């Protein structure tokens, strides 16, 4: 299995802050990396696919980068609605695996 | 508009078989490149991919659960069914179905159903 490790596990930030979440794969996955946002009691929502492509309808303050084993999700200016849990997911192998999640909380 | 909705029992007893149905609209599971997957999430924990069925009826399973899972589709009804045998309390989770979207070799899950909470308890 390809293991996905996110850091940090939780993060406190304020509205307007720039935030970066990291995801590391246990082996090279090229750019086969997706990011999801999940709010309490809701289903995950796709934000970024193929490491850096913004899903239609997702605000441009979200961006993704990386290739190989190291990836980042950046929120350029946090908005109140961005406080949620974020997951990375590799699609390099059909045995899809997710990171453990990063919970973004209000400071 | 693409929607998916999971249905099935909310409570199952240990050792029983769970059958979940994903009913979808807005896309066809006979279209090349399309798939429907199942993902679960135990309370307060991370997401875990379970199974995937492709438009051509190819199927993939999580190796750790493969012996317990079966995924099938009924294209005429726009439904995908997941069965999981020998349920255990550790299988208590919210179960989601999601469309697998593909572009060249890239793929991702979007959108997702609302999820259904399944509790395993005697």
């Amino acid at each position: 299995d390809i293991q996905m490790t996110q850091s940090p596990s939780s993060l406190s930030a304020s509205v307007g802050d720039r935030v970066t979440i990291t995801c590391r794969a246990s082996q090279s996955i090229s750019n086969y990396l997706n990011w999801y946002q999940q709010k309490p009691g809701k289903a995950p929502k796709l934000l970024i696919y193929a490491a850096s492509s913004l899903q239609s309808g997702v605000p441009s303050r979200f961006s993704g980068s990386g290739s190989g084993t190291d990836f980042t999700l950046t929120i350029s200016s946090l908005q109140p609605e961005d406080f949620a849990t974020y997951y990375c997911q590799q699609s390099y192998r059909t045995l899809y695996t997710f990171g453990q999640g990063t919970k973004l909380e209000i400071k | 508009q693409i929607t998916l909705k999971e249905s099935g029992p909310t409570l199952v007893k240990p050792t029983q078989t769970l059958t979940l149905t994903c009913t979808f609209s807005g896309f066809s599971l006979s279209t090349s490149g399309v798939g429907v997957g199942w993902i679960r999430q135990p309370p307060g924990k991370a997401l875990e991919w379970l199974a995937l069925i492709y438009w051509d009826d190819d199927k993939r399973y999580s190796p750790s659960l493969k012996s317990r899972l079966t995924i099938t589709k009924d294209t005429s009804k726009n439904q995908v069914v997941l069965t999981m045998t020998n349920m255990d309390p550790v299988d208590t989770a919210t179960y989601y179905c999601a469309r697998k979207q593909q572009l060249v070799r890239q793929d991702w899950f979007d959108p997702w159903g609302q999820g259904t909470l399944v509790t395993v308890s005697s």
Side-chain angles (χ1 to χ4, degrees), chain A residues 1 31-34 36 38 41-46 49-51 55 87 89 91-101, chain B residues 39 41 44-49 52 54 60-64 96 99-100 103 105-115:
Chain A
D1 299 12
N31 68 333
Y32 293 89
L33 192 283
N34 307 314
Y36 301 87
Q38 186 178 35
K42 300 295 186 181
K45 171 189 170 185
L46 178 70
Y49 62 92
Q55 171 67 346
Y87 293 94
Q89 175 237 330
S91 58
Y92 185 77
R93 299 253 185 259
T94 305
L95 198 180
Y96 303 109
T97 45
F98 293 85
Q100 82 279 15
Chain B
I39 303 101
Q41 184 174 39
K45 296 189 178 181
L47 300 162
E48 178 186 19
W49 172 73
L52 175 67
Y54 293 88
R60 296 285 187 268
Y61 297 101
S62 168
S64 63
Y96 297 98
R99 182 187 68 161
K100 185 199 79 74
L103 180 63
R105 255 209 69 198
Q106 295 279 355
D107 55 35
W108 54 87
F109 291 110
D110 180 68
W112 296 50
Q114 64 189 29

Side-chain angles (χ1 to χ4, degrees), chain A residues 13-89:
Chain A
S14 301
V15 173
D17 283 354
R18 179 183 179 89
V19 166
T20 296
I21 297 169
T22 297
C23 178
R24 175 165 289 175
S26 60
Q27 67 178 76
S28 177
I29 58 170
S30 185
N31 68 333
Y32 293 89
L33 192 283
N34 307 314
W35 289 98
Y36 301 87
Q37 176 194 65
Q38 186 178 35
K39 296 182 179 179
K42 300 295 186 181
K45 171 189 170 185
L46 178 70
L47 297 176
I48 302 281
Y49 62 92
S52 60
S53 295
L54 192 68
Q55 171 67 346
S56 176
V58 174
S60 59
R61 62 181 179 273
F62 291 92
S63 64
S65 65
S67 184
T69 60
D70 295 320
F71 302 86
T72 58
L73 173 69
T74 299
I75 309 172
S76 60
S77 178
L78 272 175
Q79 299 301 301
E81 60 269 29
D82 300 336
F83 291 95
T85 300
Y86 294 84
Y87 293 94
C88 61
Q89 175 237 330

Side-chain angles (χ1 to χ4, degrees), chain B residues 1-8 20-27 29 36-38 72-82 95-99 111-116:
Chain B
Q1 181 189 6
I2 293 171
T3 64
L4 304 96
K5 187 172 184 179
E6 307 85 354
S7 59
L20 294 173
T21 300
C22 175
T23 303
F24 57 87
S25 64
F27 68 98
L29 198 39
V36 171
W38 286 92
T72 60
K73 66 180 176 72
D74 186 331
T75 305
S76 65
K77 292 183 179 179
N78 282 351
Q79 290 182 333
V80 171
V81 174
L82 180 76
Y95 287 75
Y96 297 98
C97 63
R99 182 187 68 161
W112 296 50
Q114 64 189 29
T116 185

